[in-house]
Amino acid sequence: MDKIKQVAIVGGVHGNEFSGIYLIKQYQAKPDLASRASFNTELVWANPEAHYANKRYLHSDLNRQFKNTDLANPRLANYEQSRAKVLNAQLGPKGDAKTDLLIDLHNTTSNMGACLILTQAGPFYNQLAAYVKMMMPEAIISRDEDHFAAEEHALMCTVGRYGVLVEVGPQPQSVLRQDVLELMDCMTQHILDFAELYNSNSLPALPKQTEAFRYLHSIKLPMNDKGERLGMVHKNVQDKDYQPINPGDPIFTLFDGTEIYYDGDTTVYPTFINEAAYYDNNLAMSLNEKVWITLD
Amino acid sequence: MDKIKQVAIVGGVHGNEFSGIYLIKQYQAKPDLASRASFNTELVWANPEAHYANKRYLHSDLNRQFKNTDLANPRLANYEQSRAKVLNAQLGPKGDAKTDLLIDLHNTTSNMGACLILTQAGPFYNQLAAYVKMMMPEAIISRDEDHFAAEEHALMCTVGRYGVLVEVGPQPQSVLRQDVLELMDCMTQHILDFAELYNSNSLPALPKQTEAFRYLHSIKLPMNDKGERLGMVHKNVQDKDYQPINPGDPIFTLFDGTEIYYDGDTTVYPTFINEAAYYDNNLAMSLNEKVWITLD
């Protein structure tokens, strides 16, 4: 039977997302908080130099360095590319990992609350999602599992045999909010409890249907030919992560006052609205559809 | 009679505070928005390289470089020290400035709304404060005018004969929020209107008493001997800028769960609560007393 024997909780993949870094410190001070009877837990601070520099990363985004081909490429040698290889050796190797479950802790500046992001599919994830949502109704389940095969996924969490992201906001970069830290701790504790119950085959009855949001694509801010921004996220959309955007709803305001309307055909649900870290790419938000996770 | 003939509106002194940078761009596209019949307005983007780097500053905080002795010291030659000398030549020189009124636009990650910060004293400022608060009741007036003589003040706004800061939040670093941009525009427009009415001696009847907050001192996060943080701003205080803290109120939560209480003797009013930019100095918040600005 499938067992979770080794868990890794990873914080600080991004140096200016403080909650994971401090939650790891809290767990290091009281290791019982992060372990259960049926498994061991390793606590990992992924990117300390980026934190000391008070930046998301020094050379390149660590959470985009875990493709199999990149991990195997010795010429990729900058700080984060090197950290990825070290973390893969420590917690993986990806595809044959000593870590059964990897929990990667992140913050967003968007108003996303406590969000469990699943990047791979399968019955384990479906039960985990149903359990977390049942125990923590304010939790949001986000799915992005069918855009890549696991070996092509570049995310830290794909190093584990199972892996999830815990994404909590809103929190500005380089700030530590007590409420956000507590939400991250709460969701992490539920995931650890789930693994313990899963191991002993003693999960409670789980809901047959669990609401989730499935990633479709991201949209960019309005820009001119020179790559300059012409507008911003409409104030009606700001902070309204997971709230429906219908065809014809205002979505951007140009600096000259013009409103731009959503021109899609169906209702979509935005996430990562105005996320600061996506500044480089001029991303305005991610769009999702509402889906149901069904247990047999 | 005192006249405001030359105004400067300065944005982007800090590269990751986006509202001022974009408000300057909007005004450059429609210069009439920034001028009035009785004065000219110069629009200045103070620190473009810090913005391109998506950082507060490259080498040192530009808004701490305007002491007279530093402006006169040719050995202070890093990027921001050089920008300060250029801006002083362009808009000053400080103490004998061609700019009668300098409006310096800033953002904070703290929940401070639209805040007019006065760093110098006098009847002009008192009338300005009374006018802005009358026209924009949600505005907050903040005073920090009696800690330094003007020549020792290190702030950008002290380059002008008169100078104020417009500080608007909450906005994460590197994010542009429409609501925050509109608040900044609104306060700036009221300041420009005031200057126009001041010049023509046609100010409306102003309230005799205007509420303001006077800066007392800042307090640091709890730390150990090694300079590591032991706790964070208490969640009861987070986002409660300008709300009273009374002796004995919880103010910090340590990572071990202990609550720390405010041990002052009097009621104080916090500002810049958990401001991201004060990370380097471990500052938790500024404390203020409530005062009244009185017109004769």
Side-chain angles (χ1 to χ4, degrees), chain B:
Chain B
M1 196 201 134
D2 185 32
K3 293 268 190 188
I4 306 297
K5 293 180 180 166
Q6 185 64 38
V7 171
I9 307 178
V10 180
V13 163
H14 295 134
N16 56 11
E17 299 177 6
F18 281 21
S19 302
I21 296 167
Y22 280 93
L23 192 59
I24 292 291
K25 287 189 200 214
Q26 282 187 295
Y27 291 166
Q28 284 169 334
K30 295 181 182 173
D32 287 354
L33 292 175
S35 62
R36 298 289 185 276
S38 67
F39 57 81
N40 295 313
T41 299
E42 187 166 0
L43 301 167
V44 179
W45 184 10
N47 196 340
E49 290 298 330
H51 182 63
Y52 298 141
N54 196 21
K55 294 170 69 172
R56 182 174 173 90
Y57 54 78
L58 292 189
H59 300 141
S60 52
D61 191 330
L62 178 56
N63 209 26
R64 305 291 181 273
Q65 305 305 325
F66 291 92
K67 287 185 188 173
N68 281 4
T69 50
D70 292 345
L71 291 169
N73 183 347
R75 286 172 302 176
L76 299 179
N78 74 24
Y79 180 65
E80 278 81 10
Q81 290 162 347
S82 302
R83 287 299 302 156
K85 289 172 171 65
V86 171
L87 292 164
N88 186 53
Q90 181 179 348
L91 304 175
K94 181 167 168 171
D96 185 27
K98 59 182 78 70
T99 301
D100 295 302
L101 172 61
L102 195 156
I103 306 169
D104 186 20
L105 307 175
H106 286 263
N107 290 123
T108 173
T109 65
S110 306
N111 186 27
M112 287 172 60
C115 182
L116 177 66
I117 302 181
L118 310 176
T119 67
Q120 294 167 80
F124 175 85
Y125 293 108
N126 291 342
Q127 292 179 79
L128 172 63
Y131 179 83
V132 168
K133 183 76 178 171
M134 181 175 79
M135 300 302 291
M136 188 179 178
E138 72 271 35
I140 298 284
I141 311 299
S142 180
R143 308 213 71 150
D144 181 18
E145 80 289 87
D146 48 10
H147 288 78
F148 301 102
E151 62 271 19
E152 290 309 309
H153 247 311
L155 301 175
M156 172 83 235
C157 66
T158 62
V159 166
R161 185 162 66 85
Y162 298 117
V164 296
L165 283 94
V166 173
E167 182 80 67
V168 191
Q171 182 168 270
Q173 294 175 341
S174 310
V175 166
L176 184 67
R177 292 179 62 107
Q178 186 181 355
D179 54 355
V180 168
L181 185 63
E182 289 177 352
L183 272 179
M184 181 179 278
D185 180 33
C186 178
M187 180 170 273
T188 304
Q189 291 299 321
H190 287 307
I191 296 169
L192 295 172
D193 289 342
F194 171 84
E196 175 79 352
L197 295 165
Y198 181 87
N199 281 342
S200 58
N201 206 18
S202 53
L203 284 166
L206 296 173
K208 296 296 179 197
Q209 300 274 324
T210 298
E211 182 189 83
F213 295 89
R214 180 177 163 274
Y215 174 77
L216 297 170
H217 60 91
S218 298
I219 56 175
K220 293 204 171 194
L221 291 164
M223 288 183 294
N224 66 15
D225 293 345
K226 291 183 274 184
E228 297 166 340
R229 295 181 181 187
L230 298 178
M232 57 196 153
V233 170
H234 194 285
K235 60 185 173 184
N236 287 8
V237 177
Q238 179 71 48
D239 302 329
K240 302 283 174 53
D241 298 77
Y242 315 118
Q243 300 301 309
I245 294 176
N246 293 306
D249 284 350
I251 191 165
F252 297 120
T253 304
L254 302 189
F255 297 127
D256 67 6
T258 309
E259 293 187 329
I260 304 291
Y261 304 98
Y262 178 60
D263 63 356
D265 299 325
T266 60
T267 298
V268 291
Y269 299 83
T271 53
F272 291 107
I273 297 169
N274 233 346
E275 159 60 43
Y278 299 158
Y279 164 87
D280 296 345
N281 299 322
N282 289 302
L283 294 178
M285 66 194 77
S286 298
L287 299 183
N288 301 265
E289 62 179 350
K290 198 180 279 195
V291 295
W292 294 94
I293 294 174
T294 303
L295 297 186
D296 298 327

Side-chain angles (χ1 to χ4, degrees), chain A residues 111-248:
Chain A
N111 187 26
M112 289 172 60
C115 182
L116 176 66
I117 302 182
L118 309 176
T119 67
Q120 296 168 76
F124 175 86
Y125 293 107
N126 292 343
Q127 292 179 78
L128 172 62
Y131 179 82
V132 168
K133 184 75 177 172
M134 182 174 78
M135 300 302 292
M136 188 180 177
E138 72 271 35
I140 298 285
I141 312 298
S142 181
R143 309 212 69 154
D144 180 18
E145 79 289 87
D146 49 9
H147 286 79
F148 300 102
E151 62 271 20
E152 289 309 309
H153 247 311
L155 300 176
M156 172 83 236
C157 66
T158 63
V159 166
R161 184 161 66 85
Y162 297 116
V164 297
L165 284 92
V166 172
E167 182 80 68
V168 190
Q171 181 168 272
Q173 295 175 341
S174 310
V175 166
L176 183 67
R177 291 180 62 106
Q178 185 181 357
D179 54 355
V180 169
L181 185 63
E182 289 177 351
L183 272 179
M184 180 178 278
D185 180 33
C186 177
M187 180 171 274
T188 303
Q189 291 298 321
H190 287 308
I191 296 169
L192 296 172
D193 288 342
F194 172 83
E196 174 79 353
L197 295 165
Y198 181 85
N199 281 342
S200 57
N201 205 18
S202 53
L203 284 166
L206 297 174
K208 296 296 180 198
Q209 301 274 323
T210 298
E211 182 188 83
F213 294 89
R214 180 177 163 274
Y215 174 76
L216 297 170
H217 61 91
S218 297
I219 56 175
K220 292 204 172 196
L221 291 164
M223 288 182 295
N224 66 15
D225 293 344
K226 290 183 273 183
E228 296 166 341
R229 295 180 182 187
L230 298 177
M232 56 195 154
V233 170
H234 195 284
K235 60 185 172 184
N236 287 7
V237 176
Q238 180 71 47
D239 301 330
K240 302 283 174 54
D241 298 78
Y242 316 119
Q243 300 300 309
I245 295 176
N246 293 305

